[in-house]
Amino acid sequence: MTDALDDIAAILERTGDYRVLRRLGPFVPPAAEPDEPTFVGLILDTETTGIDVTADEVIELGIIKFEYGASGRIYRVLERFNQLHQPSIPIPEAVVRLTGITDADVAGQRIDDAAVEALAAEARVVIAHNARFDRQMCERRWPVFVSRNWACSCHQIPWRAEGHEGMRLGHLLADHGRFHNGHRAIDDCEALLAILARPLRTSGRLAFTALLEAARRPTVRLWASDAPIALKDRLKDRNYRWSPRRRCWYVDLDEEQIEIERTFLSREIYRGTLPSGLPADRFTARDRFSNRADPEA
């Protein structure tokens, strides 16, 4: 039956009037012995009771542990981990609708903290598709994640420049002719691993190679202290964000962009006179996306 359905799908696609999405299965790397130094990485996803990183709880944790080379090639899946956890409150109805996880599913369930700590202990990098959220959720529960390097596959790969309209996992997967059971932790991990192992549309580089390069680069957060409120739209157009905690506009940049940005601020925002000692914070993968680096946390 599978062969017959594949034949039908191929006929539909050849017409040019149809696109057929095929269900994504577990990721199987191409058989190849590493010819370069290898490391251990984790793909991680959480399902939670809400989006407040200071108060909400993890109800499902999915992790895929894998071996990769410095080049970004993925060689082996080492372990898959997926567990549910009963939170201290009933799961909100909106979360049930999104994930399909019910109070009955998590009743009496608890994530094995020791197993999570062991998985994370040897990881060179932890990857999540929204690392700002997942990292802060995980650090609250499992301190081992505080000292790990993190990368964000959503925001550290130039998806739009590579020909993709959306950055959501489902959109990226559909662009590759696949679909999955979204908003379940291990399924999202499988989807992300499959996407990272593929070449990017425009550059042809492996997606994971691009992510590793971005994660390895230090970034600088430049603060536009005392910028005139009347010029906020100009800053927003330049991708500045507002920090309610510091009540200041900021932008994250690669180090080589700093002088270009200072020139822009001097000319367009401060009318030719750049304030002395304009604040700038330097981040690496060790603290990027954590609450230590989040101005809104």
Side-chain angles (χ1 to χ4, degrees):
M1 179 61 74
T2 300
D3 290 341
L5 293 176
D6 285 341
D7 290 342
I8 293 170
I11 292 169
L12 289 171
E13 289 174 326
R14 282 198 297 269
T15 68
D17 294 325
Y18 298 90
R19 291 185 63 204
V20 179
L21 300 184
R22 294 165 172 82
R23 182 181 295 278
L24 181 73
F27 177 76
V28 180
E33 288 299 316
D35 57 359
E36 59 181 327
T38 61
F39 310 94
V40 171
L42 300 184
I43 300 281
L44 179 149
D45 185 64
T46 61
E47 302 300 335
T48 64
T49 55
I51 60 173
D52 186 339
V53 296
T54 64
D56 283 306
E57 301 174 62
V58 175
I59 59 173
E60 186 177 41
L61 177 66
I63 296 174
I64 297 179
K65 179 180 177 181
F66 64 99
E67 180 186 30
Y68 71 94
S71 66
R73 185 169 184 179
I74 296 169
Y75 290 101
R76 286 192 300 153
V77 171
L78 302 171
E79 188 174 346
R80 288 177 168 88
F81 175 95
N82 195 75
Q83 290 185 353
L84 294 167
H85 185 86
Q86 182 177 0
S88 60
I89 61 170
I91 299 175
E93 184 58 36
V95 174
V96 174
R97 288 196 301 270
L98 181 67
T99 65
I101 301 172
T102 67
D103 290 325
D105 293 327
V106 300
Q109 300 292 317
R110 180 173 178 82
I111 295 171
D112 185 339
D113 294 339
V116 175
E117 295 268 346
L119 278 167
E122 58 180 316
R124 174 65 66 94
V125 64
V126 181
I127 303 121
H129 202 59
N130 183 6
R132 178 169 280 109
F133 179 79
D134 288 302
R135 176 168 196 167
Q136 294 182 39
M137 291 297 299
C138 287
E139 286 185 350
R140 278 177 50 212
R141 173 77 182 269
W142 301 286
V144 67
F145 286 114
V146 173
S147 60
R148 301 299 90 189
N149 296 313
W150 282 72
C152 181
S153 53
C154 183
H155 298 291
Q156 290 187 290
I157 297 175
W159 295 114
R160 289 193 171 88
E162 292 286 351
H164 298 274
E165 292 185 13
M167 298 187 295
R168 291 180 178 273
L169 270 180
H171 295 161
L172 296 171
L173 208 56
D175 286 345
H176 292 293
R178 301 288 176 175
F179 72 95
H180 77 307
N181 183 24
H183 299 292
R184 290 304 302 262
I186 196 64
D187 296 289
D188 282 349
C189 290
E190 293 283 3
L192 181 52
L193 188 58
I195 289 168
L196 291 178
R198 290 175 176 265
L200 292 167
R201 280 179 162 184
T202 301
S203 67
R205 294 188 302 162
L206 292 174
F208 192 37
T209 302
L211 179 59
L212 288 174
E213 289 175 359
R216 290 165 181 154
R217 287 195 301 268
T219 53
V220 177
R221 177 166 295 157
L222 187 63
W223 297 87
S225 300
D226 301 317
I229 190 65
L231 299 178
K232 63 180 179 63
D233 288 338
R234 194 167 298 178
L235 289 169
K236 288 166 68 175
D237 290 342
R238 190 82 173 183
N239 296 320
Y240 279 74
R241 299 174 64 185
W242 175 254
S243 167
R245 188 174 67 183
R246 290 181 57 163
R247 301 192 61 78
C248 185
W249 292 95
Y250 71 93
V251 67
D252 291 333
L253 306 162
D254 289 337
E255 288 185 310
E256 62 267 21
Q257 297 174 300
I258 291 298
E259 290 310 313
I260 295 172
E261 200 60 29
R262 290 180 185 275
T263 299
F264 160 79
L265 289 173
S266 176
R267 184 180 65 247
E268 302 291 337
I269 304 300
Y270 296 110
R271 300 181 181 180
T273 304
L274 195 68
S276 60
L278 206 62
D281 302 320
R282 187 177 185 272
F283 299 118
T284 68
R286 187 57 59 94
D287 46 27
R288 194 181 293 125
F289 307 120
S290 72
N291 60 10
R292 301 177 299 285
D294 191 344
E296 299 177 14

